[in-house]
Amino acid sequence: MGVVALLAGCATAHPDAQQALAQARSSYQSLASDPAVLAAAPKDVTRAGDSLARAERLADYWGSEEDVAHYAYLSQRYGAIAREHGVQAAEQQQLERLRLERERLQLALREAKLLGLQQGGSLEEQLVALAATETERGLVVSLGDVLFDTGRAELKFNANRILLKLYRFLELNPQRIVRIEGYTDSHGKAADNLQLSRARAQTVADVLVDLGIDAKRIEVRGYGEAFPLEANASSYGRAQNRRVEIVFSDEQGKLGAERQ
């Protein structure tokens, strides 16, 4: 949406001037306390502040209610423009982070091939490298609190080596499929934790697909704070519960039952 479109409509009927002024104050306070918006659109934040200041002066001295409401409205519209620029900047930064992550993984993969990591080895050696554990659900690799920072779904830099081992196993065993399961601790809202766990599992899946694993071989699940490994009463317990688990199918491509 362009600036002209956002500023359109200034000449229309205004709400009560004092109500409009109160809304503009609240909006600007929120705007001025957001460092991301301040960095992305400083000029529009300044325009919002200047318009609010003018509305304040008009309200205190000689302005009509229509003038007060007009500049209060302008302040809020400039604020909306600034927020839109902030969203666009955040999206661009996320795309750049993803691009750099993909390039870093591709570079790590090329280095791994040069080092001869693609030569394989026995299935037992591959599973040892992955630290896989036999469970009632099948072979499971638990990737603890090493892939993600707290509350984030972007991979840490040192996650590459771990995911390359997983990629290597899947490339050497094309008959196997995986279920990637995300888990969190109990900190925060349950609904947010569920969404975060799904996003983390999807991030791991996306990396494997970027490296060349067929997306049809990957299932993604998020379980939030359900199925904890330890009590969430301590920092140690919470760290154990923040994890991604990789469940491998058998050699015929059959996965064990999902958690209920």
Side-chain angles (χ1 to χ4, degrees):
M1 184 181 298
V3 173
V4 174
L6 282 171
L7 292 178
C10 293
T12 59
H14 302 293
D16 175 76
Q18 291 304 315
Q19 180 182 355
L21 190 55
Q23 291 173 346
R25 288 193 194 106
S26 176
S27 177
Y28 182 74
Q29 288 172 358
S30 174
L31 188 73
S33 63
D34 189 331
V37 175
L38 289 172
K43 292 182 179 179
D44 291 313
V45 174
T46 298
R47 292 187 183 104
D50 290 345
S51 297
L52 175 61
R54 186 161 188 177
E56 297 274 15
R57 290 195 299 271
L58 290 169
D60 288 341
Y61 297 106
W62 45 267
S64 67
E65 288 193 357
E66 184 178 27
D67 289 336
V68 171
H70 172 75
Y71 284 103
Y73 174 84
L74 279 181
S75 177
Q76 292 200 70
R77 299 320 298 160
Y78 279 124
I81 295 168
R83 289 188 181 90
E84 181 182 346
H85 288 163
V87 169
Q88 292 172 349
E91 290 176 346
Q92 188 60 41
Q93 290 172 1
Q94 175 67 3
L95 289 174
E96 181 64 14
R97 282 195 296 269
L98 291 173
R99 184 187 67 80
L100 291 174
E101 179 64 24
R102 184 175 294 109
E103 289 181 354
R104 189 162 61 240
L105 282 167
Q106 294 290 354
L107 177 60
L109 180 60
R110 288 195 294 271
E111 291 174 348
K113 289 180 177 180
L114 289 174
L115 290 172
L117 293 181
Q118 298 299 313
Q119 293 178 357
S122 69
L123 179 61
E124 290 75 14
E125 290 172 338
Q126 296 169 33
L127 293 175
V128 167
L130 282 172
T133 303
E134 185 68 51
T135 73
E136 61 182 13
R137 294 186 293 145
L139 287 169
V140 176
V141 172
S142 183
L143 306 177
D145 196 25
V146 295
L147 298 182
F148 303 97
D149 289 319
T150 301
R152 307 290 295 179
E154 295 85 16
L155 287 167
K156 292 181 180 179
F157 179 80
N158 60 0
N160 292 348
R161 185 175 296 275
I162 298 170
L163 296 184
L164 281 172
K165 289 181 180 180
L166 178 58
Y167 160 76
R168 181 190 177 209
F169 180 86
L170 291 173
E171 186 183 47
L172 294 172
N173 297 275
Q175 75 280 12
R176 293 182 185 262
I177 64 174
V178 291
R179 181 185 302 122
I180 303 176
E181 302 173 346
Y183 302 86
T184 69
D185 60 27
S186 62
H187 181 73
K189 297 180 180 178
D192 293 339
N193 287 336
L194 185 63
Q195 182 177 4
L196 177 61
S197 68
R198 180 75 167 64
R200 286 176 168 176
Q202 187 63 55
T203 295
V204 173
D206 290 344
V207 169
L208 293 175
V209 172
D210 282 343
L211 290 172
I213 301 301
D214 190 338
K216 295 178 181 178
R217 298 174 60 194
I218 303 172
E219 295 182 7
V220 174
R221 299 289 184 272
Y223 293 106
E225 58 196 60
F227 308 107
L229 296 177
E230 301 285 346
N232 283 293
S234 67
S235 58
Y236 170 80
R238 290 189 293 273
Q240 294 300 303
N241 295 331
R242 295 191 298 268
R243 67 197 192 278
V244 171
E245 292 188 354
I246 315 297
V247 182
F248 294 92
S249 73
D250 60 21
E251 293 185 2
Q252 287 70 48
K254 182 178 180 182
L255 279 166
E258 294 187 34
R259 287 188 182 274
Q260 299 295 326

